[in-house]
Coordinates of all heavy atoms in Angstrom, one line a residue:
Chain T
A59 N -26.0 -5.2 -23.3 CA -25.0 -4.2 -23.9 C -25.7 -3.1 -24.7 O -26.8 -3.3 -25.0 CB -24.0 -5.0 -24.7
V60 N -24.9 -2.1 -24.9 CA -25.4 -0.9 -25.6 C -25.5 -1.0 -27.1 O -24.5 -1.5 -27.7 CB -24.5 0.3 -25.2 CG1 -24.8 1.5 -26.1 CG2 -24.8 0.7 -23.7
F61 N -26.6 -0.6 -27.7 CA -26.7 -0.5 -29.1 C -27.5 0.8 -29.4 O -28.4 1.1 -28.7 CB -27.4 -1.7 -29.7 CG -26.7 -3.0 -29.5 CD1 -27.0 -3.8 -28.4 CD2 -25.7 -3.4 -30.3 CE1 -26.3 -4.9 -28.1 CE2 -25.0 -4.6 -30.0 CZ -25.3 -5.3 -28.9
C62 N -27.1 1.4 -30.5 CA -27.9 2.6 -30.9 C -29.2 2.1 -31.5 O -29.3 1.0 -32.0 CB -27.1 3.4 -31.9 SG -26.8 2.6 -33.5
I63 N -30.2 2.9 -31.5 CA -31.5 2.6 -32.1 C -31.3 2.9 -33.6 O -31.0 4.0 -33.9 CB -32.6 3.3 -31.5 CG1 -32.7 3.0 -30.0 CG2 -33.9 2.9 -32.2 CD1 -33.7 3.9 -29.3
A64 N -31.4 1.9 -34.4 CA -31.0 2.0 -35.8 C -32.2 2.3 -36.8 O -32.0 2.4 -38.0 CB -30.3 0.8 -36.3
S65 N -33.4 2.5 -36.2 CA -34.6 2.8 -37.0 C -35.1 4.2 -36.6 O -34.8 4.6 -35.5 CB -35.7 1.8 -36.9 OG -36.0 1.7 -35.5
P66 N -35.8 4.9 -37.5 CA -36.2 6.3 -37.2 C -37.5 6.2 -36.3 O -38.3 5.3 -36.4 CB -36.5 6.9 -38.5 CG -36.8 5.8 -39.4 CD -36.0 4.6 -38.9
P67 N -37.7 7.2 -35.5 CA -38.9 7.2 -34.6 C -40.2 7.3 -35.4 O -41.2 7.0 -34.8 CB -38.7 8.5 -33.7 CG -37.5 9.3 -34.3 CD -36.8 8.3 -35.2
I68 N -40.1 7.7 -36.6 CA -41.3 7.8 -37.4 C -41.9 6.4 -37.8 O -43.0 6.3 -38.3 CB -41.2 8.7 -38.7 CG1 -39.8 8.4 -39.3 CG2 -41.2 10.2 -38.3 CD1 -39.5 9.2 -40.6
W69 N -41.0 5.4 -37.7 CA -41.5 4.0 -37.9 C -42.1 3.6 -36.6 O -41.4 3.4 -35.6 CB -40.4 3.1 -38.3 CG -39.8 3.4 -39.6 CD1 -40.1 4.4 -40.5 CD2 -38.6 2.8 -40.2 NE1 -39.3 4.5 -41.6 CE2 -38.4 3.5 -41.5 CE3 -37.8 1.7 -39.9 CZ2 -37.3 3.2 -42.3 CZ3 -36.8 1.4 -40.7 CH2 -36.5 2.1 -41.9
K70 N -43.4 3.3 -36.5 CA -44.1 3.0 -35.3 C -44.3 1.5 -35.0 O -44.4 0.7 -35.9 CB -45.4 3.7 -35.3 CG -45.4 5.2 -35.3 CD -44.8 5.8 -34.0 CE -44.7 7.3 -34.1 NZ -43.9 7.9 -33.0
G71 N -44.4 1.2 -33.7 CA -44.8 -0.1 -33.3 C -43.6 -1.1 -33.2 O -43.7 -2.2 -32.6
F72 N -42.4 -0.7 -33.6 CA -41.2 -1.5 -33.5 C -40.0 -0.6 -33.6 O -40.1 0.6 -33.9 CB -41.2 -2.6 -34.5 CG -40.9 -2.1 -35.9 CD1 -39.7 -2.0 -36.4 CD2 -42.0 -1.6 -36.7 CE1 -39.4 -1.4 -37.7 CE2 -41.8 -1.0 -38.0 CZ -40.5 -0.9 -38.4
F73 N -38.9 -1.2 -33.3 CA -37.6 -0.5 -33.6 C -36.6 -1.5 -33.9 O -36.8 -2.7 -33.7 CB -37.2 0.4 -32.4 CG -36.9 -0.4 -31.1 CD1 -35.6 -0.8 -30.8 CD2 -38.0 -0.8 -30.3 CE1 -35.4 -1.5 -29.6 CE2 -37.7 -1.5 -29.1 CZ -36.4 -1.9 -28.8
E74 N -35.4 -1.0 -34.4 CA -34.4 -1.9 -34.9 C -33.1 -1.7 -34.2 O -32.8 -0.5 -33.9 CB -34.2 -1.8 -36.4 CG -35.4 -2.3 -37.2 CD -35.2 -2.4 -38.7 OE1 -34.1 -2.0 -39.2 OE2 -36.1 -2.7 -39.4
V75 N -32.3 -2.7 -34.1 CA -30.9 -2.6 -33.7 C -30.1 -3.4 -34.7 O -30.6 -4.4 -35.2 CB -30.6 -3.0 -32.2 CG1 -31.3 -2.1 -31.2 CG2 -31.0 -4.5 -32.0

Side-chain angles (χ1 to χ4, degrees):
Chain T
V60 164
F61 299 94
C62 67
I63 303 173
S65 57
I68 43 179
W69 297 356
K70 295 290 180 193
F72 69 92
F73 61 96
E74 292 188 1
V75 293

